[in-house]
């Protein structure tokens, strides 16, 4: 490349001409520019930099004056090319430096803070670094802006690790700065902000950058310590571990003079870790503390503790902890002891570094601390001690003396494993044994001790049982000893049979899988399966319900097929025996005088037709297989148990079987069982095995054979009117699965119509309500039964509506029939209204029929499109209005039948479910609220109060959800919801205060429900901010008034009774307090409203008001639940302000109450450290 072209471009004194030349040359050859500069003489370099200096000065001045102008792109290009030319010049110049180079370098370096082009800024930084290597005296001046730019890029939210590494490459320049320059240049502020950047401190280079700052002076160390402490509450666990790494690297890199400052900073963090709170602080200055402070500080110090393998670090840890840890391990506060113990175990073992005897003394002290902590009175401390002790035994088994090991094991296995005061303690002992098993050195001892713990398998706490089963699984996996040597397998089977926890059942199934479902031949797996069924049939059901978690689908398919083969052979053999026996009887009878022929009349479906000869021949194949040997010892229950197992395996794994890779297994199973369908039903006819067999074939296919369908229908027809859900549920499920809902609904309709006609016939106005059946398409139908079974029909229909799968199928395929059946049942409402004496109990026909009609109307309303243009949807809304009008008419009767009252409550409860899913028009919603209000005012029973509160909550959600999506809301509905809540609170308060009638008092279950509903209402109020909506604020204020009036009851202000005593607090106020106690935001909302009521009062606060506040705060102080200490502290300060407004004359006249309030304030301030 001709360097003369460069000189000609510069001689024009036009920067644009030079830029065009630069771009053209660089495009042709990327190294051509550098080659051109290399060919220039020193005189030429001086000449071009005379011109370059003017261009650089103009560009930098323009950039500083207007840093955000759009035309700055050309300036960035100029700076990029000028900095590149400067770099090439620095490499090429001899002893004589071009005169304009230095001012140009300084100008471009000074403009770094205004440069927004990363490429140009990087080029300027590179130029500056090359220049200060030639002129070391300018390094401090040039490096400040360079470091600042790299640091700004490194802490950018979108920064990469490359930026952090580029900053760390400036390490020598950073170390040459002093504290004054660091602070005056703004670099210190940037470094402090980098501490709160997770990505920056998470990288090794970023940690080193922060660590090197600790080596400046004491003031810088204090500033860094203050910044770290401010950031910790907002940090994550990983952030805290990174901060710990920074402290350790700073200590390792520091001089002896600075190490003392760093050690003091670490010791300060150790102290705060010991006394830290074990619960999140919530909202704090700058953000939200989500992780407990003790956990954050623990992880910070853990980064230092794990370096204790270095002798000097171990000695340092002991020196720093010595004035703190030993003292707080004996503190009176259990939480402080727990924090100290966590740090103690994490930093173990401590070494004094003063000699062998001193180290031994320290070690002896540590054994004593551990043994004492195991017997601590606080369960939390014991659990920490158990976990730490077991970890130490696992890791340091060789250095622990034998007598100490004996003491530890004795305490763990004989005392703490059976600690009746805390299930967590027992669970942690079992976890500790699992931890100890990780060390092979412990196996020789534990293989003798674990068999003595088998009683823990039946611990009343689920968590303990789950951990113990996991321990046994670990023993089996590590082959410490044989499982049957540790515990009897029959115990595990028995536990599985009675276990109610899903988690424990899964772990037990995994533990027993090698015994009862081994990876062996299908014949052996079948034998184990049969053995489990014989030993414990209930356990076998649970085992195969959860076996899919540890056994593949192929093995499950093989087990099903081998069970089918055994069933086929066994049943065929039994039928042959029965046939031979029958033939012998017939031969004997032929020798006798001829008798009357046996009648063959009966239900055709009751006797399954015999199989054809071809089917018999097919089912006979393989009937003499080896697995049939010895099957005579098996009972009939075992055979039924095998069918149960197949049903369970198919139902649990049906989705897996239908996956494309496993379809071949599914088709094979279906074809095998289809071949033996008639054989199985002929054998299990009229026996206990019929139910699981029908369920089995119901799972096989969505269609049915005529033979099987007839049999199921005959079973349904043969049921009595008193049949329970257990007797007909499986038959209904099968019919729905086969898509035979039409036949099922025909049967239900036939059962109901006869009984309804009897009721209608007694009333002439109803005689013409049904004139005939609508014509239906030709299908298989039931014959009209001679005796009506109305309750059976009602129960079957109710079961269909309750079962989601059945309901979905029926509504999709038989919606028209459901609508006709609903119309048929409509007359029940009028019958019940005109004949209330017929409602004798909740199981009577009218009660069940009316409840079912309401549910059917609601189900149909949910199945239609929720649009006003949909006629069926609007008709369903009219039916709901009719039901509500019917309830209003019933409540006009002053002497209401209690059973009829239960029917009203049932109807209102069902309609409230429709409010939940927003399937209701505003007109229907208004009438619903009227009915709820009428129920709670006329019949304020415990059940109705709970129902009304629940309806109010669903209505509140309905109104605000509609408003949130932009729909217009009826203001009148909001006022009615508030009125319902007010009525509930007033009724309950009056009733519980008078105590005149026990029937109104909330029972234990209703009280729990009311508490949960109140909590949901408060959460909804808090979500929509009471200060912005008056209707929401009225609800909160009413609940506050309920508590306040209860606390101000006469005889309760003397302070002699505890605030949580049931005799002091009424049920509703206790429910409200228990509700907002579970969430800090709710408590803050209630307490703020509580004090605002008093502050809004124009008169001075009375002593009775202050006693009420004191009793509430005392109650919260005794059991604050999840209320943050800050919330209670603010409440106490507000309480003091109220207390100052009480008149002195009233105080002097009530010395007992004054003493109670003063003592309460003092105790609360002491407890919460205000």
């Amino acid at each position: 490349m001709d360097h003369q072209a460069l000189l000609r471009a510069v001689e024009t004194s036009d920067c644009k001409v030079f830029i065009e030349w630069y771009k053209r040359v660089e495009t042709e050859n990327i190294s051509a520019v550098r080659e051109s500069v290399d060919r220039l003489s020193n005189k030429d370099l001086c000449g071009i930099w005379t011109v370059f200096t003017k261009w650089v000065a103009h560009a930098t001045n323009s950039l500083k004056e207007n840093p955000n102008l759009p035309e700055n792109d050309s300036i960035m290009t100029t700076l990029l090319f000028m900095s590149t030319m400067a770099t090439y010049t620095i490499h090429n110049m001899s002893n004589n430096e071009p005169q304009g180079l230095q001012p140009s370098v300084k100008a471009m370096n000074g403009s770094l803070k205004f440069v927004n082009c990363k490429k140009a800024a990087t080029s300027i930084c590179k130029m500056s670094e090359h220049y200060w290597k030639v002129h070391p005296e300018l390094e401090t001046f040039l490096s400040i802006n360079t470091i600042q730019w790299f640091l700004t890029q490194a802490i950018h939210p979108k920064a990469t690790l490359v930026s952090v590494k580029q900053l760390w490459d400036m390490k020598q320049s950073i170390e040459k700065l002093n504290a004054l320059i660091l602070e005056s240049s703004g670099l210190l502020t940037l470094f402090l902000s980098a501490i709160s950047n997770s990505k920056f401190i998470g990288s090794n280079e970023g940690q080193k950058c922060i660590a090197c700052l600790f080596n400046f002076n004491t003031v810088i160390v204090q500033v860094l310590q203050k910044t770290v402490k401010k950031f910790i509450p907002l940090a994550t666990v990983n952030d805290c571990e990174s901060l710990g790494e920074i402290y350790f690297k700073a200590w390792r890199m520091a001089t002896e003079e600075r190490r003392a400052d760093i050690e003091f900073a670490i010791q300060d963090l150790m102290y705060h870790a010991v006394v830290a709170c074990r619960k999140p602080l919530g909202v704090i200055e700058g953000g939200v503390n989500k992780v407990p402070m003790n956990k954050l500080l623990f992880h910070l110090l853990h980064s230092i503790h794990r370096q204790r393998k270095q002798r000097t670090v171990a000695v340092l840890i002991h020196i720093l902890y010595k004035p703190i840890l030993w003292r707080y391990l004996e503190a009176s506060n259990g939480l402080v002891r727990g924090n100290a113990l966590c740090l103690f175990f994490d930093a173990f073992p401590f070494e004094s570094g003063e000699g062998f005897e001193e180290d031994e003394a320290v070690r002896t002290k540590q054994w004593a601390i551990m043994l004492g902590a195991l017997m601590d009175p606080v369960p939390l401390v014991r659990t920490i001690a158990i976990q730490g002790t077991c970890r130490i035994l696992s890791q340091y088994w060789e250095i622990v003396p034998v007598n100490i090991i004996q003491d530890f094991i004795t305490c763990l296995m004989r005392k703490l494993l059976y600690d009746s005061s805390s299930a967590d303690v027992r669970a942690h002992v079992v976890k500790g044994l699992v931890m100890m098993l990780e060390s092979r050195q412990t196996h020789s001892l534990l293989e003798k001790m674990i068999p003595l713990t088998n009683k823990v398998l039946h611990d009343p706490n689920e968590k303990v049982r789950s951990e113990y089963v996991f321990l046994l699984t670990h023993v089996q996996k590590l082959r410490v000893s044989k499982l049957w040597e540790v515990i009897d397998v029959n115990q595990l089977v028995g536990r599985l049979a009675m276990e109610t926890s899903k988690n424990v059942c899964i772990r037990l199934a995994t533990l027993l899988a090698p015994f009862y479902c081994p990876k062996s031949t299908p014949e052996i797996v079948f034998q184990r399966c049969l053995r489990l069924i014989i030993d414990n049939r209930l356990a076998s059901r649970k085992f195969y319900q959860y076996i899919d978690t540890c056994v593949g689908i192929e093995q499950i398919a093989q087990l099903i097929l081998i069970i089918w083969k055994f069933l086929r052979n066994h049943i065929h053999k039994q039928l042959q025996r029965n046939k031979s026996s029958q033939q012998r009887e017939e031969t004997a009878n032929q020798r006798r005088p001829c008798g009357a022929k046996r009648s063959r009349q009966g239900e055709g479906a009751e006797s399954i037709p015999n199989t054809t000869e071809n089917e018999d021949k097919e089912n006979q194949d393989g009937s003499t297989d080896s697995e049939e040997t010895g099957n005579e010892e098996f009972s009939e229950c075992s055979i039924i148990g095998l069918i149960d197992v197949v049903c369970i395996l198919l139902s649990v794994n049906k989705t897996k079987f239908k996956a494309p890779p496993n379809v071949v297994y599914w088709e094979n199973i279906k074809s095998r069982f289809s071949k033996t369908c008639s054989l199985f039903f002929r054998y299990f006819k009229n026996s206990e095995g019929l139910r699981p067999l029908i369920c089995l074939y119901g799972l096989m296919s969505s269609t049915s054979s005529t033979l099987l369908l007839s049999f199921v229908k005959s079973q349904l027809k043969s049921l009595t009117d008193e049949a329970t859900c257990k007797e007909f549920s499986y038959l209904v499920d099968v019919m729905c699965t086969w898509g035979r809902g039409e036949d099922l609904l025909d049967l239900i309709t036939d059962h109901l119509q006869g009984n309804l006609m009897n009721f209608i016939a007694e009333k002439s106005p109803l005689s013409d309500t049904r004139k005939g059946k609508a014509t239906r398409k030709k299908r298989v139908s039931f014959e009209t039964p001679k005796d009506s079974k109305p309750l059976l029909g009602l129960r079957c229909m109710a079961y269909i509506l309750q079962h989601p799968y059945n309901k979905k199928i029926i509504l999709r395929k038989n919606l028209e029939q459901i609508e006709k059946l609903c119309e048929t049942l409509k007359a029940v409402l009028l019958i019940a209204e005109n004949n209330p004496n017929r409602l004798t109990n909740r199981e009577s026909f009218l009660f069940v029929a009316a409840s079912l009609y309401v549910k059917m109307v609601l189900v149909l309303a949910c199945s239609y499109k929720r649009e006003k243009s949909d006629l069926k949807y609007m008709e369903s809304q009219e039916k709901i209005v009719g039901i509500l009008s019917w309830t209003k008419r019933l409540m006009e009767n002053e002497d209401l039948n209690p059973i009829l009252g239960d029917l009203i409550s049932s109807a209102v409860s069902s309609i409230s479910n429709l409010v939940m899913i927003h399937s209701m028009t505003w007109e229907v919603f208004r009438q619903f609220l009227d009915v709820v209000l009428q129920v709670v005012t006329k019949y304020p029973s415990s059940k109705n109060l709970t129902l009304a509160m629940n309806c109010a909550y669903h209505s509140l959600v309905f109104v605000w959800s509609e408003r949130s999506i932009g729909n217009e809301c009826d203001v009148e509905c909001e006022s009615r919801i508030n009125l319902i809540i007010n009525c509930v609170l007033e009724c309950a308060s009056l009733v519980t205060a008078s105590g005149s009638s026990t029937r109104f008092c909330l029972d234990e279950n209703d009280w729990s429900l009311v508490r949960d509903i109140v909590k949901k209402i408060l959460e909804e109020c808090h979500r929509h901010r009471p200060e912005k909506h008056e209707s929401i604020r009225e609800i909160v204020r009413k609940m506050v008034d309920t508590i306040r009036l209860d606390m101000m009851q006469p005889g309760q202000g003397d302070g002699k009774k505890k605030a949580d005593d049931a005799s002091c607090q009424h049920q509703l106020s206790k429910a409200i307090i228990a509700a907002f106690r579970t969430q800090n935001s709710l408590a803050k909302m209630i307490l703020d409203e509580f004090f605002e009521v008093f502050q809004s009062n124009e008169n001075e606060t009375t002593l009775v008001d202050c006693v009420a506040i004191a009793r509430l705060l005392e109650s919260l102080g005794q059991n604050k639940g999840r209320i943050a200490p800050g919330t209670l502290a603010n409440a106490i300060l507000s309480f003091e302000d109220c207390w100052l407004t009480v008149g002195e004359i009233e105080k002097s006249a009530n010395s007992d109450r004054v003493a109670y309030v003063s003592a309460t304030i003092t105790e609360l301030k002491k407890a919460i450290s205000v």
Side-chain angles (χ1 to χ4, degrees), residues 184 393 546 560 625 993 1168:
S184 61
L393 288 175
Y546 300 108
I560 293 174
D625 289 343
I1168 308 176

Side-chain angles (χ1 to χ4, degrees), residues 774-787:
T775 58
R776 301 187 183 94
K777 60 182 180 179
K778 188 175 181 181
R779 60 184 178 275
V780 181
S781 61
F782 292 96
E783 296 178 2
T784 303
K786 297 179 181 178
D787 53 337

Side-chain angles (χ1 to χ4, degrees), residues 34-50:
R34 181 164 188 168
E35 292 174 359
S36 298
V37 175
D38 291 342
R39 292 177 183 176
L40 292 175
S41 64
N42 192 40
K43 182 179 178 180
D44 292 335
L45 286 175
C46 292
I48 65 172
W49 274 105
T50 303

Side-chain angles (χ1 to χ4, degrees), residues 3-22 24 33 36-37 40 43-55 82 85:
H3 62 280
Q4 295 297 329
L6 170 60
L7 295 175
R8 286 193 297 272
V10 175
E11 284 175 358
T12 61
S13 298
D14 189 352
C15 185
K16 293 182 179 179
V17 175
F18 171 76
I19 291 174
E20 290 176 0
W21 170 84
Y22 192 102
R24 185 179 67 255
V33 176
S36 298
V37 175
L40 292 175
K43 182 179 178 180
D44 292 335
L45 286 175
C46 292
I48 65 172
W49 274 105
T50 303
V51 178
F52 284 170
T53 302
K54 298 177 183 179
W55 292 349
M82 290 297 103
M85 292 296 294

